[in-house]
């Protein structure tokens, strides 16, 4: 059994015209939501062995909030540029390339690809994963 958590970053601040999309930070609501969802995940025994994250500012900030709450070392986050503006096929390749030593992995990324991966791996169609949402997928597999 392998478990994959798909996490969409918290709400970003669109008001700073000088920032590129990659540099956009979380807005105040996003910061609060990231802390809230992190605390909820602790209560649900969220304990990934590996966290892979887009290096965009808003995903990084979301990941750091989660890591702080679950006592996951921030320096152990694997930042992967391919997650930013990723295709579904890229995320499938990423999941397939995971080391089999990991049974629980979290990917923190962006829409629409994070929603597409959830739809691809489950029978539960989600039209759009909202910001700061999490999908837990339990896979009846022994290898990624």
């Amino acid at each position: 059994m392998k478990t994959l958590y798909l996490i969409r970053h918290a709400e970003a601040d669109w008001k700073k015209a000088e920032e590129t999309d990659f540099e956009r930070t979380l807005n105040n609501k996003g910061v609060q939501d990231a802390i809230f969802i992190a605390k909820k995940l602790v209560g649900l025994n969220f304990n990934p062995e590996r966290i892979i994250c887009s290096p965009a500012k808003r995903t990084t900030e979301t990941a750091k909030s989660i890591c702080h709450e679950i006592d996951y070392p921030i320096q152990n986050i694997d930042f992967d540029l391919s997650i930013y503006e990723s295709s579904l096929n890229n995320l499938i390749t990423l999941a397939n390339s995971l080391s089999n030593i990991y049974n629980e992995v979290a990917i923190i990324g962006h829409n629409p690809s994070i929603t597409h991966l959830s739809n691809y791996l489950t029978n539960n169609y989600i039209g759009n994963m909202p910001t700061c949402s999490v999908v837990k997928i339990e896979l009846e597999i022994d290898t990624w």
Side-chain angles (χ1 to χ4, degrees):
M1 167 83 77
K2 303 285 185 188
T3 302
L4 182 62
Y5 294 91
L6 303 178
I7 303 171
R8 183 175 176 204
H9 64 79
E11 189 174 309
D13 188 352
W14 288 85
K15 296 179 183 175
K16 298 176 184 170
E18 71 279 3
E19 288 181 339
T20 66
D21 181 68
F22 191 84
E23 296 169 330
R24 278 191 295 119
T25 59
L26 298 181
N27 63 20
N28 290 335
K29 180 182 181 307
V31 170
Q32 292 171 356
D33 288 349
I35 294 167
F36 175 80
I37 201 68
K39 289 180 179 189
K40 286 288 189 184
L41 287 169
V42 169
L44 296 171
N45 298 317
F46 175 73
N47 192 24
E49 298 158 292
R50 184 167 183 206
I51 295 176
I52 307 167
C53 182
S54 161
K57 190 78 166 178
R58 59 194 180 275
T59 46
T60 299
E61 290 177 347
T62 301
K64 286 181 178 179
S65 290
I66 291 170
C67 289
H68 176 76
E69 292 296 325
I70 67 170
D71 292 325
Y72 185 95
I74 291 170
Q75 65 271 17
N76 289 353
I77 299 171
D78 181 13
F79 291 100
D80 186 331
L81 184 58
S82 76
I83 297 172
Y84 179 71
E85 296 186 339
S86 182
S87 67
L88 171 60
N89 285 340
N90 178 68
L91 291 182
I92 292 168
T93 300
L94 176 67
N96 286 336
S97 70
L98 293 170
S99 171
N100 291 318
I101 64 169
Y102 303 115
N103 292 312
E104 291 193 22
V105 175
I107 298 174
I108 303 175
H110 310 267
N111 260 353
S113 58
I114 206 84
T115 297
H116 292 320
L117 184 59
S118 174
N119 290 337
Y120 177 80
L121 293 174
T122 70
N123 291 326
N124 299 319
Y125 177 80
I126 300 173
N128 177 46
M129 280 181 66
T131 54
C132 210
S133 60
V134 180
V135 172
K136 177 182 180 183
I137 304 171
E138 294 177 338
L139 302 162
E140 296 290 331
I141 57 174
D142 294 322
T143 62
W144 292 103

